[in-house]
Amino acid sequence: MHTAAFFPLAEESQLPPVDFMKRHLGNIVSQDKIKAGLQAMLARAKDGFRAACRSTKSTPELVDAYTFKAQGDPMIIIYDKSGAAIARHHYTGPAVMLFFDEGGHLIHIDFVGVCDSLGRNRQAPSADYVGEHSRLHVQTGRWKFRDGCGKRVAEVSDREWDSEKQPHWRPSPKWLDAFSGGKTFVLHAYQPRVIEGPRFDHMWSMAAAPELYQLAFDRGAADEWMNAMLVLVGSAQLQGLKWDAEELLRYAVLYGMAMTRVGQHLPAPAYR
């Protein structure tokens, strides 16, 4: 019994990040392997990656990278490198999307409001059209805003767009209240899937906690392992192991925020 559980863990713990990603991208990995990988990766994260091995490259040379768009009713559409839509994920109500690029960096956080087809009932839990949309660029701290209510042409993607507000604008705490208890999605450029993130309240508390900037960790190693953490969480959710991967997902979001100092750019919501 102990031998069967031990050897996959030992094997997973010795893989460098590039090989770890290659194992879980484009392959169906057994649940035992995924659980062993979760244990090994969680041990690295809890140790601040100080004992993690380094590789010569921070990202694997993979053929496929993906882009994302939430549009219309709303739904998140995943596109391959040729621009073909390969998957769709429907949802309702306000949602927050965390975009990680091919380097594993948290590049922006999108707060996607909703409305009905006529632009009314803004931020209602049952509303099913993309409405008001705010974006935080995590490295610059700049916010953007655009209002898609009633236009039926709203687009929420990893592409850039022009803001309808002045450069120093920030969303109001009252507007952010609508996201309390709501959904978050992690969108990772190396994965053709939508990762269900932690609840907004949990994500926000991590971003606002003073401890976020007191974390002791190997920044270089954590940067290398970010892609691997996200890929493993996606692989686990694909295999129905969402709750097994919950703690590692929190660490992935936590390190993504810590490395880009997200909290200093967030206005305090009224419910806190």
Side-chain angles (χ1 to χ4, degrees), residues 17 20-21 41 188 224-233:
F20 201 100
M21 287 183 64
M41 193 71 76
H188 181 211
E224 277 198 355
W225 281 97
M226 279 300 301
N227 272 325
M229 278 198 291
L230 293 167
V231 165
L232 181 56
V233 170

Side-chain angles (χ1 to χ4, degrees), residues 10-70:
E11 179 189 358
E12 292 286 326
S13 67
Q14 295 170 10
L15 287 175
V18 171
D19 293 336
F20 201 100
M21 287 183 64
K22 287 180 177 178
R23 166 172 288 185
H24 288 271
L25 284 171
N27 298 296
I28 299 298
V29 181
S30 71
Q31 288 195 353
D32 287 343
K33 287 283 189 182
I34 291 174
K35 289 179 179 179
L38 289 170
Q39 293 179 52
M41 193 71 76
L42 195 56
R44 292 188 185 97
K46 288 182 175 180
D47 182 54
F49 295 94
R50 288 186 288 268
C53 59
R54 296 289 191 94
S55 66
T56 57
K57 295 182 180 180
S58 60
T59 55
E61 294 181 359
L62 300 172
V63 175
D64 296 323
Y66 303 91
T67 57
F68 303 87
K69 180 191 297 184

Side-chain angles (χ1 to χ4, degrees), residues 64-236:
D64 296 323
Y66 303 91
T67 57
F68 303 87
K69 180 191 297 184
Q71 188 172 23
D73 61 347
M75 61 181 168
I76 302 172
I77 309 173
I78 305 172
Y79 297 86
D80 64 17
K81 63 178 182 178
S82 71
I86 59 174
R88 290 173 170 83
H89 182 90
H90 292 261
Y91 70 94
T92 58
V96 177
M97 302 182 191
L98 293 85
F99 288 85
F100 287 82
D101 66 11
E102 294 173 41
H105 305 122
L106 179 58
I107 53 173
H108 48 80
I109 302 174
D110 284 24
F111 296 74
V112 185
V114 289
C115 58
D116 63 23
S117 61
L118 298 177
R120 303 170 305 189
N121 298 318
R122 299 189 180 203
Q123 304 294 60
S126 60
D128 56 2
Y129 276 79
V130 172
E132 295 174 310
H133 171 205
S134 294
R135 166 174 289 180
L136 169 63
H137 280 273
V138 296
Q139 291 187 335
T140 65
R142 293 290 180 89
W143 287 83
K144 289 182 173 183
F145 174 85
R146 59 183 176 181
D147 188 353
C149 287
K151 300 176 183 177
R152 303 193 186 187
V153 293
E155 176 190 322
V156 182
S157 70
D158 46 9
R159 292 190 285 269
E160 287 300 328
W161 40 271
D162 294 329
S163 177
E164 298 174 6
K165 299 290 186 180
Q166 295 299 314
H168 297 292
W169 174 87
R170 286 189 174 196
S172 70
K174 182 178 180 181
W175 187 78
L176 292 170
D177 278 351
F179 296 92
S180 176
K183 313 173 188 71
T184 67
F185 300 111
V186 173
L187 306 177
H188 181 211
Y190 271 137
Q191 300 187 69
R193 62 181 65 96
V194 174
I195 298 174
E196 294 185 24
R199 290 174 65 87
F200 174 74
D201 308 73
H202 296 154
M203 183 200 75
W204 198 277
S205 63
M206 283 191 289
E211 294 80 10
L212 181 66
Y213 307 116
Q214 299 171 7
L215 285 176
F217 64 97
D218 184 326
R219 181 172 292 270
D223 189 52
E224 277 198 355
W225 281 97
M226 279 300 301
N227 272 325
M229 278 198 291
L230 293 167
V231 165
L232 181 56
V233 170
S235 182

